[in-house]
Amino acid sequence: MSMHPELPERDRRILGVLVRGYIDDGEPISSLWLAERGFGVSSATLRNILARLEEQGYVRQPHTSAGRVPTDLGYRCYVDQLLGERRSSRPAPQVEARLRRAGTVDDLLSHASQEVARASQQLSFAIAPGAESATLEHLEFVPLDGGKILVVVVSTGGHVAHKVISPAEPHDQTDLQQAANYLNSEFKGHSLVVIRQAVMQRLREERNLYDELMARALRLANTTFEDMESGPSVFIQGTSLVLDELADDDPDVTLETLRTLLRMIEEKARLVQLLDEYLRADGLTVVIGSEHHAPDLQRFSVVASTYSDGRATGMVGVIGPTRMHYSRAIKAVETLSQAVSRMVTSKS
């Protein structure tokens, strides 16, 4: 996302090898280590190049006697090169087969998040569009003990929401079936937000405009939609991978970093809020450390890609330390988001 000055080809190659070496080993990279990688120049020349890269902000020296490690700008230069060289690919057939077994979009996104975590070895997330973009397919009322009712709302693409309500008046099976039939015929194809507004408006109108069947259905619908979650659904996998990184003494995963990440996982709405600006961008986005506008994310890198069913947009991605295996993460996120697009389009 940030701009960086154009580096000479040799400097860029040396920086790329340094970044890959640091990602793989987590140890500062010395000029002697680079000299063994076949650049055809002396260790002294490499020291001068590293000093120049440090002056330009691509690398830093954690300790006076240590080698160099990449800065956010160094990672950005490396990632930009990866993005320019990447090729389109599809998930392995067995991965697609597992995704296709998903019965609903929510199941699909949960499976996709698992596949991304497995392939990238990072904490992964999948975000479904909120109810404001979902339209009603059908609604069912199922009687439970004690006068309670289970409401099942199926919206665009097979999204399924459940809610138990406790209406003030008793309803038998026939009442509930008639109410569901009326609401389905009246509101199928409308967005859930529009339905909620329409129901509230009709209930405010003169009661004698509606017969008892319609009034009962509207009251049930009002109880159903009045506080139903309208925000995006979030599916997160791979928390144990972050804990493993900490256990391995990854220099970029401190205890405080872990606490910040776990807070975002627990407060999923907060994570969606932080990622919202990337949901508005089509395709693949890679944001590294200090490039994030949100301070909470500036210790992390995010690799994310949007998917669409033709009407609404969601996202698949990973979040992790800036020292992440970017090539692996980019491939996993991009291939899985494209697979999700194909499959949610077919379910729509």
Side-chain angles (χ1 to χ4, degrees):
M1 288 180 66
S2 63
M3 297 298 293
H4 49 80
E6 188 63 31
L7 285 173
E9 174 63 24
R10 185 179 64 182
D11 290 14
R12 191 166 64 249
R13 286 192 298 112
I14 289 169
L15 178 61
V17 171
L18 182 149
V19 173
R20 284 196 299 274
Y22 181 67
I23 287 172
D24 289 343
D25 300 331
E27 297 291 336
I29 302 299
S30 68
S31 57
L32 183 61
W33 185 92
L34 287 168
E36 295 170 352
R37 297 306 181 272
F39 289 108
V41 296
S42 68
S43 183
T45 300
L46 285 165
R47 278 197 298 274
N48 291 335
I49 293 172
L50 289 178
R52 184 165 64 244
L53 289 172
E54 186 169 2
E55 287 174 5
Q56 294 172 317
Y58 290 98
V59 298
R60 62 184 177 84
Q61 200 169 18
H63 309 290
T64 307
S65 60
R68 268 76 169 189
V69 301
T71 62
D72 289 351
L73 184 61
Y75 283 123
R76 167 51 57 193
C77 185
Y78 170 72
V79 166
D80 283 352
Q81 192 164 353
L82 286 178
L83 294 176
E85 296 170 352
R86 78 191 194 279
R87 298 287 181 268
S88 179
S89 62
R90 291 175 72 112
Q94 63 269 30
V95 173
E96 288 227 20
R98 286 197 292 268
L99 293 178
R100 291 190 183 282
R101 285 199 287 270
T104 67
V105 170
D106 286 355
D107 289 341
L108 172 62
L109 292 176
S110 179
H111 290 341
S113 184
Q114 288 176 345
E115 298 294 346
V116 172
R118 183 182 294 120
S120 68
Q121 291 297 293
Q122 297 292 338
L123 182 80
S124 72
F125 58 85
I127 302 174
E132 61 273 8
S133 59
T135 59
L136 180 69
E137 292 291 333
H138 70 270
L139 174 151
E140 297 176 26
F141 295 117
V142 181
L144 303 175
D145 293 339
K148 294 182 179 180
I149 298 169
L150 171 66
V151 188
V152 182
V153 178
V154 181
S155 54
T156 319
H159 287 286
V160 180
H162 302 88
K163 181 180 179 182
V164 176
I165 61 175
S166 301
E169 56 194 318
H171 299 277
D172 61 26
Q173 179 66 56
T174 302
D175 292 340
L176 295 177
Q177 187 61 58
Q178 289 175 337
N181 290 344
Y182 167 72
L183 294 169
N184 287 326
S185 64
E186 191 76 2
F187 295 115
K188 181 178 179 179
H190 291 76
S191 80
L192 303 187
V193 172
V194 167
I195 295 171
R196 183 163 50 198
Q197 293 168 344
V199 167
M200 292 173 65
Q201 178 61 37
R202 292 187 189 188
L203 284 172
R204 283 195 293 267
E205 293 172 0
E206 290 294 327
R207 290 182 179 273
N208 59 13
L209 292 178
Y210 301 101
D211 63 26
E212 183 53 34
L213 166 63
M214 295 182 188
R216 185 186 303 119
L218 290 171
R219 288 193 295 272
L220 284 169
N222 186 52
T223 307
T224 295
F225 290 110
E226 63 183 350
D227 60 354
M228 182 169 277
E229 286 290 324
S230 61
S233 301
V234 186
F235 305 88
I236 295 176
Q237 302 287 341
T239 308
S240 62
L241 297 171
V242 181
L243 297 173
D244 289 344
E245 294 279 357
L246 185 68
D248 291 341
D249 293 326
D250 186 317
D252 287 349
V253 185
T254 64
L255 189 58
E256 185 54 38
T257 302
L258 181 66
R259 284 198 188 104
T260 301
L261 192 55
L262 291 177
R263 276 199 301 272
M264 285 190 281
I265 294 169
E266 290 170 0
E267 302 170 16
K268 291 182 179 180
R270 173 69 175 148
L271 181 61
V272 174
Q273 182 185 7
L274 292 171
L275 296 171
D276 181 62
E277 65 177 299
Y278 312 134
L279 271 163
R280 295 195 291 269
D282 287 336
L284 184 73
T285 301
V286 181
V287 193
I288 299 166
S290 56
E291 296 174 354
H292 291 288
H293 294 139
D296 284 358
L297 286 174
Q298 289 183 356
R299 295 172 180 165
F300 307 102
S301 286
V302 169
V303 178
S305 185
T306 55
Y307 68 86
S308 174
D309 62 5
R311 289 184 293 267
T313 300
M315 176 174 278
V316 174
V318 301
I319 180 170
T322 52
R323 184 189 153 239
M324 79 162 58
H325 199 301
Y326 288 97
S327 59
R328 194 163 59 195
I330 288 168
K331 181 179 180 182
V333 167
E334 196 161 41
T335 56
L336 266 298
S337 68
Q338 290 170 356
V340 169
S341 277
R342 290 193 297 272
M343 292 178 196
V344 295
T345 301
S346 69
K347 288 177 181 289
S348 297

